[in-house]
Amino acid sequence: MNNAQQTARVGLFFILGLALTWVTFQTLNGRNIFKSRGYNLVVGFESLKELKIGDQVRMAGVEVGAVETIRLDLPRHRAVAVLLIEPDVKIAQDATASIVMAGLIGTNYVGIELGSPGAAPLAPGAEMRTTVTPDINTIMTELGNLGGKLEDAFNSFNTAINGSGKEGGV
């Protein structure tokens, strides 16, 4: 084999390696290279609760898209996520989106309720209605408040039964 053929084969192998690396990188980042792009929908929340670009969008538990971009909408005092929805999925105008916690380690996704069967689909670029769901921090804060209220109630009950020290109890 001559030197020119060997150089051509090494160059071709190198180019194929780069192409394979690029395809792997794009696939691991949640970008489907060989699928059609889809359309965008906009959702606005008071807080995105650790939602990240590339997180899943699910409808009835089935993945139907991904979070494409995230930005602040300061004039309206909210955070906005732009969702990339698969082109063959139609979402009803009365459907609602919420941020759902998938696990205790903080993995979140956008969950979309189905909406009415006869409702017209949302147009590309439209804004969806949203509902707020509590996250683990809110739940823990509420549990802490509940604990304080229970302690106050038990102290009042104890005072009523045993007395306050100056007066006798029941």
Short mmCIF file of all heavy atoms in Angstrom, two decimals, residues 38-46 48 51 57 66-73 76 78-85 91-93 95-99 110-112 122-131:
data_model
loop_
_atom_site.label_atom_id
_atom_site.label_comp_id
_atom_site.label_asym_id
_atom_site.label_seq_id
_atom_site.Cartn_x
_atom_site.Cartn_y
_atom_site.Cartn_z
N GLY A 38 -40.30 20.20 15.27
CA GLY A 38 -41.46 20.41 16.14
C GLY A 38 -41.83 21.88 16.23
O GLY A 38 -41.44 22.69 15.38
N TYR A 39 -42.59 22.24 17.27
CA TYR A 39 -43.03 23.62 17.43
C TYR A 39 -42.87 24.04 18.89
O TYR A 39 -42.75 23.21 19.79
CB TYR A 39 -44.48 23.79 16.97
CG TYR A 39 -45.50 23.00 17.75
CD1 TYR A 39 -46.24 23.60 18.76
CD2 TYR A 39 -45.74 21.65 17.48
CE1 TYR A 39 -47.18 22.88 19.48
CE2 TYR A 39 -46.67 20.93 18.19
CZ TYR A 39 -47.40 21.55 19.19
OH TYR A 39 -48.32 20.84 19.89
N ASN A 40 -42.87 25.34 19.12
CA ASN A 40 -42.64 25.89 20.46
C ASN A 40 -43.95 26.28 21.12
O ASN A 40 -44.87 26.76 20.46
CB ASN A 40 -41.74 27.12 20.40
CG ASN A 40 -40.31 26.79 20.08
OD1 ASN A 40 -39.86 25.68 20.29
ND2 ASN A 40 -39.59 27.75 19.56
N LEU A 41 -43.99 26.11 22.44
CA LEU A 41 -45.04 26.64 23.29
C LEU A 41 -44.35 27.35 24.45
O LEU A 41 -43.25 26.98 24.85
CB LEU A 41 -45.95 25.54 23.82
CG LEU A 41 -46.83 24.83 22.80
CD1 LEU A 41 -47.62 23.70 23.46
CD2 LEU A 41 -47.78 25.80 22.12
N VAL A 42 -45.01 28.34 25.01
CA VAL A 42 -44.44 29.16 26.08
C VAL A 42 -45.24 28.90 27.36
O VAL A 42 -46.47 28.87 27.33
CB VAL A 42 -44.50 30.65 25.71
CG1 VAL A 42 -43.96 31.52 26.84
CG2 VAL A 42 -43.73 30.91 24.42
N VAL A 43 -44.52 28.71 28.47
CA VAL A 43 -45.14 28.58 29.78
C VAL A 43 -44.44 29.53 30.75
O VAL A 43 -43.23 29.65 30.74
CB VAL A 43 -45.11 27.14 30.32
CG1 VAL A 43 -46.00 26.24 29.52
CG2 VAL A 43 -43.71 26.58 30.36
N GLY A 44 -45.23 30.23 31.56
CA GLY A 44 -44.69 31.17 32.54
C GLY A 44 -45.04 30.74 33.95
O GLY A 44 -46.18 30.35 34.22
N PHE A 45 -44.06 30.81 34.84
CA PHE A 45 -44.25 30.41 36.23
C PHE A 45 -43.62 31.47 37.14
O PHE A 45 -42.70 32.19 36.74
CB PHE A 45 -43.57 29.07 36.53
CG PHE A 45 -44.17 27.90 35.81
CD1 PHE A 45 -43.62 27.44 34.63
CD2 PHE A 45 -45.28 27.26 36.32
CE1 PHE A 45 -44.17 26.35 33.98
CE2 PHE A 45 -45.84 26.18 35.67
CZ PHE A 45 -45.28 25.72 34.50
N GLU A 46 -44.08 31.51 38.39
CA GLU A 46 -43.46 32.37 39.39
C GLU A 46 -42.04 31.90 39.67
O GLU A 46 -41.14 32.69 39.89
CB GLU A 46 -44.30 32.34 40.67
CG GLU A 46 -43.82 33.28 41.73
CD GLU A 46 -44.73 33.23 42.95
OE1 GLU A 46 -45.92 33.53 42.80
OE2 GLU A 46 -44.22 32.90 44.04
N LEU A 48 -39.27 28.50 38.39
CA LEU A 48 -39.08 27.31 37.56
C LEU A 48 -38.60 26.11 38.38
O LEU A 48 -38.45 25.02 37.83
CB LEU A 48 -38.09 27.59 36.43
CG LEU A 48 -38.62 28.53 35.34
CD1 LEU A 48 -37.57 28.75 34.27
CD2 LEU A 48 -39.89 27.99 34.73
N LEU A 51 -35.88 23.78 37.08
CA LEU A 51 -36.08 23.27 35.73
C LEU A 51 -34.91 23.73 34.87
O LEU A 51 -34.46 24.87 35.00
CB LEU A 51 -37.40 23.80 35.17
CG LEU A 51 -37.93 23.15 33.92
CD1 LEU A 51 -38.38 21.72 34.22
CD2 LEU A 51 -39.10 23.94 33.37
N VAL A 57 -40.63 17.21 28.68
CA VAL A 57 -42.01 17.65 28.73
C VAL A 57 -42.83 16.38 28.53
O VAL A 57 -42.63 15.65 27.55
CB VAL A 57 -42.33 18.68 27.62
CG1 VAL A 57 -43.80 19.04 27.63
CG2 VAL A 57 -41.47 19.92 27.78
N ALA A 66 -39.23 18.75 25.02
CA ALA A 66 -38.16 19.12 25.95
C ALA A 66 -38.18 20.63 26.16
O ALA A 66 -38.74 21.39 25.36
CB ALA A 66 -36.81 18.70 25.40
N VAL A 67 -37.56 21.07 27.26
CA VAL A 67 -37.42 22.49 27.53
C VAL A 67 -36.30 23.01 26.64
O VAL A 67 -35.17 22.51 26.69
CB VAL A 67 -37.09 22.74 29.01
CG1 VAL A 67 -36.85 24.22 29.26
CG2 VAL A 67 -38.20 22.21 29.90
N GLU A 68 -36.62 23.99 25.79
CA GLU A 68 -35.64 24.50 24.83
C GLU A 68 -34.85 25.68 25.39
O GLU A 68 -33.63 25.73 25.29
CB GLU A 68 -36.33 24.90 23.52
CG GLU A 68 -35.35 25.29 22.45
CD GLU A 68 -36.03 25.54 21.12
OE1 GLU A 68 -37.05 26.23 21.09
OE2 GLU A 68 -35.52 25.02 20.12
N THR A 69 -35.54 26.66 25.97
CA THR A 69 -34.86 27.82 26.55
C THR A 69 -35.58 28.25 27.83
O THR A 69 -36.74 27.93 28.03
CB THR A 69 -34.82 29.03 25.59
OG1 THR A 69 -36.15 29.41 25.25
CG2 THR A 69 -34.03 28.73 24.34
N ILE A 70 -34.85 28.98 28.65
CA ILE A 70 -35.38 29.53 29.89
C ILE A 70 -34.95 30.99 29.96
O ILE A 70 -33.81 31.31 29.62
CB ILE A 70 -34.81 28.75 31.10
CG1 ILE A 70 -35.34 27.32 31.10
CG2 ILE A 70 -35.15 29.44 32.40
CD1 ILE A 70 -34.70 26.45 32.16
N ARG A 71 -35.87 31.84 30.39
CA ARG A 71 -35.52 33.26 30.51
C ARG A 71 -36.39 33.93 31.57
O ARG A 71 -37.41 33.39 31.98
CB ARG A 71 -35.66 33.96 29.17
CG ARG A 71 -37.08 34.05 28.67
CD ARG A 71 -37.17 34.84 27.36
NE ARG A 71 -38.53 35.00 26.94
CZ ARG A 71 -39.19 34.22 26.10
NH1 ARG A 71 -38.58 33.18 25.57
NH2 ARG A 71 -40.44 34.46 25.79
N LEU A 72 -35.97 35.10 31.99
CA LEU A 72 -36.76 35.91 32.92
C LEU A 72 -37.64 36.87 32.13
O LEU A 72 -37.22 37.43 31.13
CB LEU A 72 -35.85 36.72 33.83
CG LEU A 72 -35.22 35.99 35.00
CD1 LEU A 72 -34.27 36.91 35.74
CD2 LEU A 72 -36.28 35.47 35.95
N ASP A 73 -38.84 37.07 32.61
CA ASP A 73 -39.76 38.06 32.05
C ASP A 73 -40.00 39.07 33.17
O ASP A 73 -40.99 39.01 33.89
CB ASP A 73 -41.06 37.37 31.62
CG ASP A 73 -42.03 38.33 30.96
OD1 ASP A 73 -41.70 39.53 30.80
OD2 ASP A 73 -43.14 37.88 30.60
N ARG A 76 -43.27 41.18 33.74
CA ARG A 76 -44.42 40.43 34.25
C ARG A 76 -44.08 39.64 35.52
O ARG A 76 -44.89 38.87 36.00
CB ARG A 76 -44.94 39.49 33.17
CG ARG A 76 -45.49 40.29 31.98
CD ARG A 76 -45.89 39.45 30.83
NE ARG A 76 -47.06 38.63 31.14
CZ ARG A 76 -47.59 37.77 30.28
NH1 ARG A 76 -47.06 37.62 29.08
NH2 ARG A 76 -48.63 37.06 30.61
N ARG A 78 -41.95 37.06 36.34
CA ARG A 78 -42.05 35.61 36.24
C ARG A 78 -40.87 35.06 35.46
O ARG A 78 -40.09 35.79 34.86
CB ARG A 78 -43.35 35.19 35.56
CG ARG A 78 -43.42 35.63 34.11
CD ARG A 78 -44.74 35.31 33.49
NE ARG A 78 -44.68 35.52 32.05
CZ ARG A 78 -45.46 34.94 31.20
NH1 ARG A 78 -46.39 34.11 31.61
NH2 ARG A 78 -45.35 35.18 29.92
N ALA A 79 -40.74 33.74 35.50
CA ALA A 79 -39.75 33.04 34.69
C ALA A 79 -40.50 32.32 33.58
O ALA A 79 -41.61 31.82 33.78
CB ALA A 79 -38.98 32.05 35.55
N VAL A 80 -39.89 32.26 32.41
CA VAL A 80 -40.54 31.68 31.23
C VAL A 80 -39.69 30.53 30.71
O VAL A 80 -38.47 30.64 30.62
CB VAL A 80 -40.73 32.75 30.13
CG1 VAL A 80 -41.23 32.14 28.85
CG2 VAL A 80 -41.66 33.85 30.60
N ALA A 81 -40.36 29.45 30.37
CA ALA A 81 -39.71 28.32 29.71
C ALA A 81 -40.35 28.15 28.34
O ALA A 81 -41.57 28.18 28.21
CB ALA A 81 -39.86 27.04 30.52
N VAL A 82 -39.52 28.01 27.32
CA VAL A 82 -40.00 27.74 25.98
C VAL A 82 -39.85 26.24 25.73
O VAL A 82 -38.76 25.70 25.87
CB VAL A 82 -39.23 28.55 24.92
CG1 VAL A 82 -39.73 28.23 23.52
CG2 VAL A 82 -39.37 30.04 25.20
N LEU A 83 -40.96 25.60 25.41
CA LEU A 83 -40.98 24.15 25.23
C LEU A 83 -40.93 23.81 23.75
O LEU A 83 -41.60 24.46 22.95
CB LEU A 83 -42.26 23.56 25.83
CG LEU A 83 -42.62 24.00 27.25
CD1 LEU A 83 -43.94 23.36 27.67
CD2 LEU A 83 -41.51 23.65 28.21
N LEU A 84 -40.16 22.81 23.40
CA LEU A 84 -40.13 22.29 22.03
C LEU A 84 -40.96 21.02 22.03
O LEU A 84 -40.59 20.02 22.65
CB LEU A 84 -38.70 22.02 21.58
CG LEU A 84 -38.54 21.47 20.17
CD1 LEU A 84 -39.08 22.47 19.15
CD2 LEU A 84 -37.10 21.16 19.88
N ILE A 85 -42.10 21.05 21.35
CA ILE A 85 -43.04 19.94 21.33
C ILE A 85 -42.90 19.19 20.01
O ILE A 85 -42.76 19.82 18.95
CB ILE A 85 -44.49 20.45 21.50
CG1 ILE A 85 -44.62 21.32 22.76
CG2 ILE A 85 -45.49 19.30 21.50
CD1 ILE A 85 -44.35 20.59 24.06
N ILE A 91 -51.65 19.81 21.36
CA ILE A 91 -52.03 20.09 22.74
C ILE A 91 -53.24 21.00 22.73
O ILE A 91 -53.25 22.04 22.06
CB ILE A 91 -50.85 20.72 23.50
CG1 ILE A 91 -49.69 19.71 23.54
CG2 ILE A 91 -51.27 21.13 24.90
CD1 ILE A 91 -48.43 20.22 24.16
N ALA A 92 -54.27 20.62 23.48
CA ALA A 92 -55.53 21.37 23.52
C ALA A 92 -55.33 22.74 24.16
O ALA A 92 -54.48 22.92 25.03
CB ALA A 92 -56.58 20.57 24.30
N GLN A 93 -56.16 23.70 23.72
CA GLN A 93 -56.06 25.06 24.24
C GLN A 93 -56.36 25.16 25.73
O GLN A 93 -55.86 26.05 26.40
CB GLN A 93 -57.00 25.99 23.47
CG GLN A 93 -56.51 26.34 22.10
CD GLN A 93 -57.44 27.31 21.39
OE1 GLN A 93 -58.56 27.58 21.82
NE2 GLN A 93 -56.98 27.84 20.27
N ALA A 95 -55.53 22.85 27.93
CA ALA A 95 -54.56 22.06 28.68
C ALA A 95 -53.77 22.97 29.61
O ALA A 95 -53.59 24.16 29.33
CB ALA A 95 -53.62 21.33 27.73
N THR A 96 -53.31 22.42 30.72
CA THR A 96 -52.50 23.20 31.66
C THR A 96 -51.16 22.52 31.88
O THR A 96 -51.06 21.30 31.84
CB THR A 96 -53.22 23.35 33.02
OG1 THR A 96 -53.50 22.06 33.55
CG2 THR A 96 -54.50 24.15 32.88
N ALA A 97 -50.16 23.33 32.13
CA ALA A 97 -48.81 22.84 32.38
C ALA A 97 -48.43 23.12 33.83
O ALA A 97 -48.83 24.14 34.40
CB ALA A 97 -47.82 23.50 31.44
N SER A 98 -47.65 22.23 34.40
CA SER A 98 -47.11 22.44 35.75
C SER A 98 -45.73 21.81 35.82
O SER A 98 -45.39 20.96 35.01
CB SER A 98 -48.04 21.83 36.80
OG SER A 98 -48.17 20.44 36.60
N ILE A 99 -44.96 22.26 36.79
CA ILE A 99 -43.64 21.69 37.00
C ILE A 99 -43.80 20.57 38.01
O ILE A 99 -44.28 20.78 39.12
CB ILE A 99 -42.63 22.74 37.48
CG1 ILE A 99 -42.47 23.81 36.40
CG2 ILE A 99 -41.29 22.09 37.80
CD1 ILE A 99 -41.61 24.98 36.81
N VAL A 110 -41.75 19.21 32.94
CA VAL A 110 -42.99 19.92 32.73
C VAL A 110 -44.06 18.88 32.40
O VAL A 110 -43.92 18.12 31.44
CB VAL A 110 -42.87 20.94 31.59
CG1 VAL A 110 -44.22 21.62 31.34
CG2 VAL A 110 -41.81 21.98 31.91
N GLY A 111 -45.09 18.83 33.23
CA GLY A 111 -46.21 17.93 33.01
C GLY A 111 -47.37 18.68 32.40
O GLY A 111 -47.73 19.76 32.87
N ILE A 112 -47.96 18.13 31.36
CA ILE A 112 -49.09 18.78 30.69
C ILE A 112 -50.32 17.90 30.85
O ILE A 112 -50.30 16.71 30.52
CB ILE A 112 -48.78 19.00 29.19
CG1 ILE A 112 -47.57 19.91 29.03
CG2 ILE A 112 -50.00 19.59 28.48
CD1 ILE A 112 -47.15 20.13 27.60
N LEU A 122 -53.43 24.23 20.43
CA LEU A 122 -52.68 25.48 20.56
C LEU A 122 -51.86 25.73 19.30
O LEU A 122 -51.31 24.80 18.71
CB LEU A 122 -51.74 25.41 21.76
CG LEU A 122 -52.37 25.55 23.14
CD1 LEU A 122 -51.38 25.14 24.21
CD2 LEU A 122 -52.84 26.97 23.37
N ALA A 123 -51.77 26.98 18.91
CA ALA A 123 -50.96 27.36 17.76
C ALA A 123 -49.49 27.40 18.17
O ALA A 123 -49.17 27.66 19.34
CB ALA A 123 -51.40 28.72 17.25
N PRO A 124 -48.58 27.16 17.24
CA PRO A 124 -47.16 27.28 17.56
C PRO A 124 -46.83 28.67 18.11
O PRO A 124 -47.31 29.68 17.59
CB PRO A 124 -46.46 27.04 16.22
CG PRO A 124 -47.43 26.18 15.46
CD PRO A 124 -48.79 26.67 15.87
N GLY A 125 -46.05 28.71 19.18
CA GLY A 125 -45.67 29.97 19.81
C GLY A 125 -46.66 30.47 20.83
O GLY A 125 -46.41 31.49 21.48
N ALA A 126 -47.79 29.78 21.01
CA ALA A 126 -48.81 30.22 21.96
C ALA A 126 -48.35 30.00 23.39
O ALA A 126 -47.43 29.23 23.66
CB ALA A 126 -50.11 29.46 21.71
N GLU A 127 -49.00 30.70 24.31
CA GLU A 127 -48.70 30.54 25.73
C GLU A 127 -49.75 29.65 26.37
O GLU A 127 -50.94 29.85 26.19
CB GLU A 127 -48.65 31.90 26.43
CG GLU A 127 -48.23 31.78 27.87
CD GLU A 127 -47.82 33.09 28.49
OE1 GLU A 127 -47.53 34.05 27.76
OE2 GLU A 127 -47.76 33.14 29.73
N MET A 128 -49.28 28.67 27.12
CA MET A 128 -50.17 27.73 27.81
C MET A 128 -50.54 28.26 29.18
O MET A 128 -49.78 28.99 29.81
CB MET A 128 -49.46 26.38 28.03
CG MET A 128 -49.29 25.56 26.81
SD MET A 128 -48.64 23.93 27.26
CE MET A 128 -50.06 23.25 28.10
N ARG A 129 -51.70 27.83 29.66
CA ARG A 129 -52.09 28.09 31.04
C ARG A 129 -51.22 27.22 31.95
O ARG A 129 -50.82 26.12 31.56
CB ARG A 129 -53.56 27.77 31.26
CG ARG A 129 -54.49 28.67 30.48
CD ARG A 129 -55.94 28.39 30.78
NE ARG A 129 -56.20 26.95 30.80
CZ ARG A 129 -57.23 26.40 31.42
NH1 ARG A 129 -58.10 27.15 32.05
NH2 ARG A 129 -57.42 25.09 31.39
N THR A 130 -50.95 27.71 33.15
CA THR A 130 -50.11 26.95 34.08
C THR A 130 -50.79 26.84 35.44
O THR A 130 -51.65 27.66 35.79
CB THR A 130 -48.73 27.62 34.27
OG1 THR A 130 -48.92 28.95 34.76
CG2 THR A 130 -47.96 27.64 32.98
N THR A 131 -50.43 25.83 36.17
CA THR A 131 -50.84 25.68 37.56
C THR A 131 -49.59 25.49 38.41
O THR A 131 -48.59 24.95 37.94
CB THR A 131 -51.77 24.45 37.76
OG1 THR A 131 -51.10 23.29 37.31
CG2 THR A 131 -53.07 24.62 37.00
#
